Amino acid sequence: MTAARETPIEGPTLTRRQELGAASARSLLLTVLGEFVLPRGEQVWTSTLLELAADLDVAEKAARQALMRTADDGWIAAQRIGRETRWGLTEQGTRLLTDGTRRIYDAASEEQPWDGSWLVLTVTVPENARALRQRLRTQLGWAGLGSSSPGVWVTPRVDREAEAARVLEELGLTAGSWSFVARSGQIGDQRSLVRSAWDLDAIETRYEEFLELVGSRRPRTDRQALVAQVRLVQEWRRFPLLDPGLPRELLPPRWSGNRAAQVFRERHATWAPRARSAWESLARTD
């Protein structure tokens, strides 16, 4: 590899509360694969990934370990060409990143109208199955559902039912579970229900951290735009799990998530051409 590294863009020093900037090597690798390898459907050399990892402040050893772990999970596969190796997405990896990419950009899309309907899910988990309960919480959270009380999950996005059903089937929890689609009655307040199911204050704090982190970035070169784009997507990709995508009627006034989504869309669109140019140049140097 002969291309020289450029000075990384400057940003604020991250504190413990700013987990958004503290990405693991593997997480960054998945972001790079989803943003640049998936759309082109091409293979990428190890040296390309290692050089970009260095620009992202990831040590070579950590980057190689991330590649090995991702390959062990069946998401990428290696092809040896002489003494060099290049990597391509497997069918499983393509599905994983396609789904993840859709979620990332859906989370940044314009607000969808809401007809007032709720999906309500009741799930019975054995009392001593703590690990199973945690997996259920993680996967239903990823699907945008929140738990308003033990065993009860809700979302105002009724189109999430099919995904919830897949989660229950995969975890062996379909038997003894029920789903209902209904509208709120006269008893209780919908905003109180939302507050019981999701920690909106914590989510808003994360959005504010995102805005603080992203707002300081001013890439001057194409290579810096590539680094900035990877970090932008990396930091945004957490929000599909954190934010259930509630309709405006259920959110607090001046919700930070709306401004964060707008900033993400604008920055991504602005940096994307320069980032793609830098990626293509980096890949060609091999």
Side-chain angles (χ1 to χ4, degrees):
M1 184 74 63
T2 58
R5 288 181 58 197
E6 298 184 6
T7 303
I9 56 176
E10 295 182 358
T13 301
L14 300 183
T15 63
R16 186 173 176 218
R17 73 181 180 86
Q18 289 175 308
E19 291 179 60
L20 289 171
S24 70
R26 192 183 192 204
S27 183
L28 283 167
L29 172 62
L30 291 176
T31 297
V32 171
L33 293 174
E35 189 73 5
F36 299 104
V37 177
L38 176 67
R40 299 170 65 90
E42 298 175 351
Q43 294 179 317
V44 57
W45 295 101
T46 300
S47 52
T48 296
L49 295 172
L50 293 181
E51 185 166 351
L52 181 53
D55 283 357
L56 292 164
D57 299 320
V58 176
E60 180 176 336
K61 180 180 179 181
R64 289 187 181 276
Q65 289 174 341
L67 279 168
M68 293 302 103
R69 287 181 58 200
T70 305
D72 288 344
D73 283 339
W75 297 344
I76 58 175
Q79 179 184 16
R80 295 283 298 182
I81 299 180
R83 299 176 61 184
E84 304 296 328
T85 302
R86 60 184 183 183
W87 300 88
L89 294 172
T90 62
E91 183 177 348
Q92 178 183 352
T94 298
R95 286 199 307 270
L96 171 83
L97 292 179
T98 298
D99 180 61
T101 299
R102 175 182 59 80
R103 291 176 183 275
I104 288 170
Y105 295 109
D106 281 353
S109 62
E110 299 288 347
E111 181 185 2
Q112 301 175 5
W114 182 49
D115 67 358
S117 298
W118 288 85
L119 171 67
V120 181
L121 189 68
T122 65
V123 186
T124 301
V125 182
E127 189 66 30
N128 61 348
R130 184 174 179 179
L132 178 60
R133 187 175 293 105
Q134 182 58 44
R135 289 178 62 194
L136 176 70
R137 178 172 295 277
T138 298
Q139 293 187 35
L140 286 184
W142 180 243
L145 281 77
S147 181
S148 58
S149 58
V152 179
W153 296 82
V154 297
T155 175
R157 302 301 186 190
V158 297
D159 59 339
R160 306 287 174 86
E161 184 174 19
E163 186 170 0
R166 286 195 296 271
V167 170
L168 295 178
E169 183 176 0
E170 290 172 3
L171 298 181
L173 294 172
T174 301
S177 297
W178 289 268
S179 64
F180 307 87
V181 175
R183 300 177 70 87
S184 179
Q186 298 299 314
I187 301 174
D189 175 69
Q190 292 187 109
R191 289 182 181 271
S192 297
L193 172 63
V194 166
R195 287 286 183 181
S196 69
W198 294 280
D199 188 345
L200 295 185
D201 291 338
I203 296 171
E204 189 152 38
T205 295
R206 298 295 287 268
Y207 275 126
E208 290 167 358
E209 291 173 353
F210 170 82
L211 288 166
E212 178 184 351
L213 207 59
V214 172
S216 65
R217 293 181 177 158
R218 297 292 185 272
R220 297 181 298 277
T221 67
D222 288 356
R223 187 66 166 264
Q224 289 177 354
L226 172 59
V227 173
Q229 188 82 323
V230 172
R231 291 207 179 278
L232 177 73
V233 176
Q234 171 65 28
E235 288 148 12
W236 184 259
R237 64 182 286 202
R238 292 167 169 81
F239 288 109
L241 177 58
L242 295 173
D243 188 342
L246 300 174
R248 183 184 299 273
E249 295 91 329
L250 301 175
L251 290 171
R254 302 178 61 84
W255 176 244
S256 297
N258 295 334
R259 185 159 54 95
Q262 181 180 356
V263 168
F264 174 82
R265 292 193 300 267
E266 291 174 351
R267 295 295 173 90
H268 192 278
T270 299
W271 294 343
R274 296 165 64 193
R276 283 195 299 269
S277 176
W279 170 261
E280 292 168 1
S281 177
L282 177 62
R284 283 198 299 269
T285 60
D286 296 313

